[in-house]
Every structure is written in structure tokens, then in C-alpha cells.
Amino acid sequence: MVVNEFIGEATDLLRRTPEVLRTLLVGLPDSWTDTSDVPENGWRPHDVVGHLITGELTDWIERTECILEHGTSVPFETFDRFAHTDRDADATLDELVEHFATLRAENLARLAELVSEEDLDRRGMHPSLGEVTRRELLATWAVHDLDHISQIYAGMAGSHDAEVGPWKTYLGILLRRDDPSAIAG
Amino acid sequence: MVVNEFIGEATDLLRRTPEVLRTLLVGLPDSWTDTSDVPENGWRPHDVVGHLITGELTDWIERTECILEHGTSVPFETFDRFAHTDRDADATLDELVEHFATLRAENLARLAELVSEEDLDRRGMHPSLGEVTRRELLATWAVHDLDHISQIYAGMAGSHDAEVGPWKTYLGILLRRDDPSAIAG
């Protein structure tokens, strides 16, 4: 293989995320997309895609470059978990998905220039977590996608919490919105 | 609109699921897809897609027809939650996704023949839950998709539980695999 297996497999997943979001969300009626993952202080799909955009703008590639340039001597910038709130207030969900897709494509091209097998164990300094490796950063980029797409699914399910009637008792994705310790039905 | 808004919106979501599964899973390396959603008695993506196939084969359309033919006088057949275990043992994940896509397309065509706005409040008899409506059955079909795709995401994330290193503490999708009451980071 031209690239390291780990890099290739992580990149394969990262490349799929924009297309998954397009397939799932673009053109879907608001009745599915206007509900938060949890009832209190949750995020709607609009917030989640905004948060993914923030990662592309300020986090994953910037931190990769920080490791390459500074190793552990300069800590990463803190991730602003609410940067999307004002920035994306006027954008539609469909616009955010397309913006995310553009940024992700640019960042994967940049990653291909920056990353190589022998660099995966190089270390950087996370402002809270301490020393981390490039390998961990790359795996986290991918799992962070999975975490937040799952959050989109929780909000979409929540939009039809009432409509399923008595079947709710079998639907773990709804039960967990009310009680995180509920076991999937 | 030609169809009732509720029917159209539910169908819109149901139509997207096979394409989401294709985009997410087909051709993805086993390193992402060979892990269960929870460590004990969980389901790998292969099991989840098998379970979705069972729904297409025996549940959603059959129950819709049961309501139309019998109302509440004949209870639905019980859903076999483990029918996939033997049936799909020799199929690849990619094959299951394509089989599901074929069945879903057939069932949405059948649904379009069977369902109309004025029938949505017609009632059937669930073997455990009691009386349910066609509207609830249709909403449940869609939310059941969301529930189980979310389960696929949990397994995919779990496959890289170790690789993210200290970042795990921020990744709710991983924390919940170990402790369902963990709050998303």
C-alpha cells in the first residue's frame, strides 16, 4: 500500500462523512431535523454540523501542524465548542452540509501532504489532556465524526418521539433521550 | 400534495436509509465494522443490517396489511429479533446492505399502494403493546431505522476505542459503551 494502513483506513472513513450527511439531511423536511439530541441544552442537527465545521476550520489540521512544528513544546489552541452559534445563525442546514463537505475535502488533501507512517508516533501537547500522538489525533478525528453523527440521529428520532406511540418502549434511541441509563429496547 | 404530509415525510426518511448504509459501509475496511455496539451481547453492523432485513421481510408491510385486513381482531405476528443469526451467517456485510436496499425499495412501492391519509388512524393489535395505529406503525418504521443506524455508529466507534487514547474522555459515544449513564463529553 502507498500509505500506512491506519492512515488509509481513517481517511476512508473521514471521506465518507460529508456524503453520509448529504444523503441523510439535504432536502429532508424540517419535521425531522429541528429537534435536539436531548431535551435540555441539546444540539439540533444544525448545531452539530456547525460544530463539525469548527473542527475543520480550527482543530484537526491546525493541531497536526502544531505537532509537526512544535512537538510537545507548544500546547494546542483550545477547541471552541460554541463557535458555531453566532457564525452559522443565518445558514440553512443544507448550506452547512455543503460548507462542511468543501472544508473536509480541502483538509483531507492537506492531510495527505502532512501525514506519513513514520510520523504517527510524534507527540503534541493537548491543553487539558497532556501528551497525545498524531495517531491518536487522527483516530479521534474519525471517531468524533461518528459521535456527532450519532447525535444527529438522536435528534432526528426525538422529532418523532410522540408519533411512535406505545412502540417507544422498544426504541432505545428515544428512551436514552429521557434517561441516559436506559438500556436499548 | 398528492400524499399526506406525514406519509410523504416518513417515506422520505425511509428511502434514504439504504443509501446511507451504502455510503457508510460498502467497501469500508473490517477494522471499522467488526465490533459490537456494546461489549457484552452487542450487535456488529452485520447483525444490525440483518435485523433491518428481517423487518423488511416480516414486519412493517405484513403488519400494515394485517391492520387493513383484520383491524384489531388478529394480533400481529411476534417480531423475531434473532432471525438474522442463522439466515445471514454466510453473507458479507456489503451483500446484506444490497439485499436490504432491494427489499426496502420493494416495500416502499408496496406502501405507496397500501397507505392513504384516511387510513392512518386505523388500528391494529400488537401482541404485547395492545392497540396501535397505522400512523404509529409508519413512524416506528422510520425511527427504528434511526435507532439501529445509531447502533452501527456505536460499534464503529468502539472499534477504535483504544486508538483515540486520552481523547476518549470527550467522546460520549465511547463512554456510553462502557457506562450507559455516561453523559456525552
Side-chain angles (χ1 to χ4, degrees):
Chain A
M1 295 176 73
V2 177
V3 292
N4 174 265
E5 196 171 328
F6 179 78
I7 298 171
E9 292 178 359
T11 304
D12 187 340
L13 188 101
L14 289 165
R15 187 171 288 121
R16 291 168 189 253
T17 299
E19 200 53 37
V20 167
L21 292 176
R22 276 198 189 108
T23 305
L24 181 64
L25 296 175
V26 169
L28 193 67
D30 289 350
S31 60
W32 283 112
T33 59
D34 209 25
T35 304
S36 300
D37 60 323
V38 290
E40 303 225 349
N41 300 316
W43 279 2
R44 295 169 304 141
H46 189 280
D47 302 305
V48 177
V49 180
H51 174 71
L52 291 173
I53 287 172
T54 304
E56 301 303 308
L57 288 172
T58 70
D59 193 285
W60 310 110
I61 291 295
E62 188 172 301
R63 289 179 171 190
T64 299
E65 291 172 339
C66 185
I67 293 176
L68 282 176
E69 291 172 26
H70 304 294
T72 57
S73 66
V74 176
F76 307 147
E77 295 281 329
T78 304
F79 194 119
D80 181 353
R81 292 187 65 246
F82 297 97
H84 61 274
T85 312
D86 290 337
R87 187 192 63 217
D88 299 333
D90 296 331
T92 67
L93 178 58
D94 290 5
E95 287 167 350
L96 292 181
V97 170
E98 293 309 324
H99 186 201
F100 171 71
T102 301
L103 294 171
R104 173 58 58 90
E106 291 170 0
N107 282 343
L108 287 179
R110 186 85 184 102
L111 181 75
E113 296 166 0
L114 287 173
V115 81
S116 65
E117 183 177 355
E118 57 266 31
D119 287 336
L120 283 176
D121 292 323
R122 290 180 67 167
R123 292 177 175 274
M125 183 62 67
H126 188 283
S128 307
L129 300 172
E131 287 196 9
V132 291
T133 67
R134 279 187 70 170
R135 185 189 308 271
E136 290 163 351
L137 178 61
L138 183 54
T140 300
W141 189 2
V143 175
H144 183 266
D145 275 10
L146 301 174
D147 196 4
H148 286 289
I149 296 176
S150 182
Q151 189 178 22
I152 288 174
Y153 273 85
M156 291 174 66
S159 72
H160 285 59
D161 182 277
E163 280 82 350
V164 302
W167 265 291
K168 177 170 175 174
T169 191
Y170 295 154
L171 293 164
I173 198 169
L174 294 179
L175 300 176
R176 285 188 295 271
R177 292 181 77 245
D178 300 329
D179 174 6
S181 68
I183 304 298
Chain B
M1 295 175 71
V2 177
V3 293
N4 174 266
E5 195 172 328
F6 179 78
I7 298 171
E9 292 179 359
T11 304
D12 188 339
L13 188 99
L14 289 164
R15 188 170 287 122
R16 291 168 190 251
T17 298
E19 200 53 37
V20 167
L21 293 176
R22 277 198 189 110
T23 304
L24 181 64
L25 296 175
V26 169
L28 193 66
D30 289 351
S31 60
W32 283 112
T33 58
D34 209 25
T35 305
S36 299
D37 61 321
V38 289
E40 302 224 350
N41 300 316
W43 278 1
R44 295 169 304 140
H46 189 280
D47 301 306
V48 177
V49 179
H51 174 71
L52 291 174
I53 287 172
T54 304
E56 300 303 308
L57 288 171
T58 69
D59 192 287
W60 310 110
I61 290 296
E62 188 172 301
R63 289 179 172 190
T64 298
E65 290 172 341
C66 184
I67 293 177
L68 282 176
E69 290 172 27
H70 305 293
T72 57
S73 67
V74 175
F76 305 147
E77 296 282 330
T78 303
F79 194 118
D80 181 353
R81 292 187 64 247
F82 298 96
H84 60 273
T85 312
D86 290 336
R87 187 192 62 218
D88 299 331
D90 295 331
T92 66
L93 179 57
D94 290 4
E95 287 168 351
L96 292 182
V97 169
E98 293 308 324
H99 186 200
F100 171 71
T102 301
L103 294 171
R104 173 59 58 91
E106 290 170 2
N107 281 343
L108 288 180
R110 187 86 184 103
L111 181 74
E113 296 167 1
L114 286 173
V115 80
S116 65
E117 182 177 357
E118 57 267 27
D119 286 336
L120 284 176
D121 293 322
R122 289 180 69 168
R123 291 175 175 275
M125 184 62 68
H126 187 283
S128 307
L129 299 173
E131 287 197 10
V132 291
T133 67
R134 278 188 71 171
R135 184 190 307 271
E136 290 163 350
L137 178 61
L138 182 54
T140 300
W141 190 2
V143 175
H144 183 266
D145 276 9
L146 301 175
D147 197 5
H148 285 290
I149 297 178
S150 182
Q151 190 178 21
I152 288 174
Y153 273 86
M156 291 175 67
S159 72
H160 284 58
D161 182 278
E163 281 82 350
V164 301
W167 265 291
K168 177 169 175 176
T169 191
Y170 294 155
L171 293 164
I173 198 169
L174 293 179
L175 300 176
R176 285 189 295 272
R177 293 179 77 243
D178 301 328
D179 174 7
S181 67
I183 304 299

